[in-house]
């Protein structure tokens, strides 16, 4: 079971969209991991589209910039879910490299595009 909590998001319609996006990402990225808790926090213009923080064993925080257009928010959430997958599978994350040379960021950038296309391409 996936548990989501929202901070700074009042619209139930937007919460429903985010639930749908997260469940889509989970099914595609870490389908066997059911008991995952994600706290999604909306923030304004902090200089990044979003980030993912590993809190505990299956406990994560994803933050995103509310000033982005909705499709960019969806892409950002999917990007951050790639990082959730990387943490769950204990994949190596090298923060010593420049951002655009980090293997975990290269994977997240590649998969965010494919996942966004697949998400919007559903019928």
């Amino acid at each position: 079971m996936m548990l989501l909590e929202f901070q700074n998001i009042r619209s139930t319609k937007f919460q429903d969209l985010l639930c749908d996006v997260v469940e889509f990402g989970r099914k595609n990225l870490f389908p066997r991991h059911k008991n995952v808790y994600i706290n999604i926090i909306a923030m304004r213009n902090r200089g990044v589209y979003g980030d993912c923080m590993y809190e505990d064993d299956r406990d994560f925080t994803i933050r995103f910039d509310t000033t982005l257009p909705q499709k960019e928010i969806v892409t950002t959430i999917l990007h951050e879910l790639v990082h959730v997958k990387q943490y769950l599978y204990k994949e190596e994350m090298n923060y010593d490299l420049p951002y655009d040379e980090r293997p975990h960021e290269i994977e997240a950038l590649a998969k965010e595009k494919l996942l966004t296309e697949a998400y919007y391409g559903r019928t």
Side-chain angles (χ1 to χ4, degrees), residues 41 43 46 49-51 53 61-65 76 80:
I41 302 174
M43 60 183 191
R46 298 254 166 85
Y49 282 15
D51 57 22
M53 289 165 283
T61 297
I62 291 177
R63 300 185 302 180
F64 70 91
D65 183 348
T76 298
E80 300 310 331

Side-chain angles (χ1 to χ4, degrees), residues 13-14 17 66-76 120:
K13 186 177 176 186
F14 192 55
L17 169 71
T66 58
T67 64
L68 295 171
Q70 183 172 298
K71 189 169 184 179
E72 289 283 327
I73 290 172
V74 168
T75 300
T76 298
Y120 284 107

Side-chain angles (χ1 to χ4, degrees), residues 77-115:
I77 297 294
L78 291 168
H79 175 105
E80 300 310 331
L81 286 170
V82 174
H83 294 316
V84 169
K85 183 238 1 147
Q86 292 164 339
Y87 285 120
L88 287 170
Y89 289 104
K90 298 181 180 6
E91 296 173 16
E92 186 179 340
M93 296 175 132
N94 184 344
Y95 293 96
D96 294 331
L97 293 170
Y99 180 84
D100 58 351
E101 293 177 24
R102 297 174 183 169
H104 63 278
E105 290 298 344
I106 292 168
E107 178 189 18
L109 282 168
K111 287 192 173 169
E112 81 178 27
K113 291 176 178 59
L114 295 171
L115 289 166

